[in-house]
Amino acid sequence: MTLTNKQKQYLKGLAHSLKPVVLLGQHGLTEGVLAEIDLALNFHELIKVKVAAEDREVKALVMDAIVRETGALKVQSIGHMLTLYRSSEEKKISLPRA
């Protein structure tokens, strides 16, 4: 599934007031962190993750790994914040039509 620009804009608007649910610390991306992100996506559908990496390339690799491992869609990434969306069984967010 891919998101259209209209759907991304809608999700960005919803995510604007959200606080990061998961914070990646000095230990980086571990199985526990991935499990926590997966749990948060199942519950909220739209979350923010803060990736505290100094190097831009490392940060980009970590963000790509999160998207790949969770099966979520990347809505946007600004600075250290990554916004993810993945629909759950009980659709909490209804996206605009494509």
Side-chain angles (χ1 to χ4, degrees):
M1 178 182 166
T2 58
L3 296 171
T4 64
N5 284 337
K6 186 176 183 181
Q7 291 169 334
K8 279 187 182 180
Q9 290 299 325
Y10 177 73
L11 290 172
K12 286 177 188 179
L14 291 177
H16 182 71
S17 61
L18 295 178
K19 300 279 187 242
V21 176
V22 179
L23 306 170
L24 263 82
Q26 64 188 15
H27 299 294
L29 189 61
T30 61
E31 290 296 321
V33 172
L34 280 173
E36 198 63 36
I37 292 171
D38 196 48
L39 209 71
L41 280 168
N42 286 336
F43 188 74
H44 298 290
E45 289 187 342
L46 183 69
I47 64 167
K48 283 185 178 177
V49 178
K50 185 171 184 178
V51 180
E54 295 296 319
D55 188 19
R56 283 185 178 183
E57 293 173 7
V58 171
K59 183 173 57 175
L61 289 173
V62 169
M63 288 182 177
D64 290 342
I66 291 171
V67 170
R68 184 179 62 247
E69 294 295 321
T70 59
L73 298 169
K74 179 178 169 182
V75 177
Q76 73 176 355
S77 62
I78 299 175
H80 294 283
M81 291 292 178
L82 172 66
T83 307
L84 298 171
Y85 170 76
R86 185 176 72 193
S87 61
S88 65
E89 298 286 324
E90 48 187 68
K91 304 256 185 207
K92 296 178 183 168
I93 299 173
S94 59
L95 293 174
R97 291 190 176 187

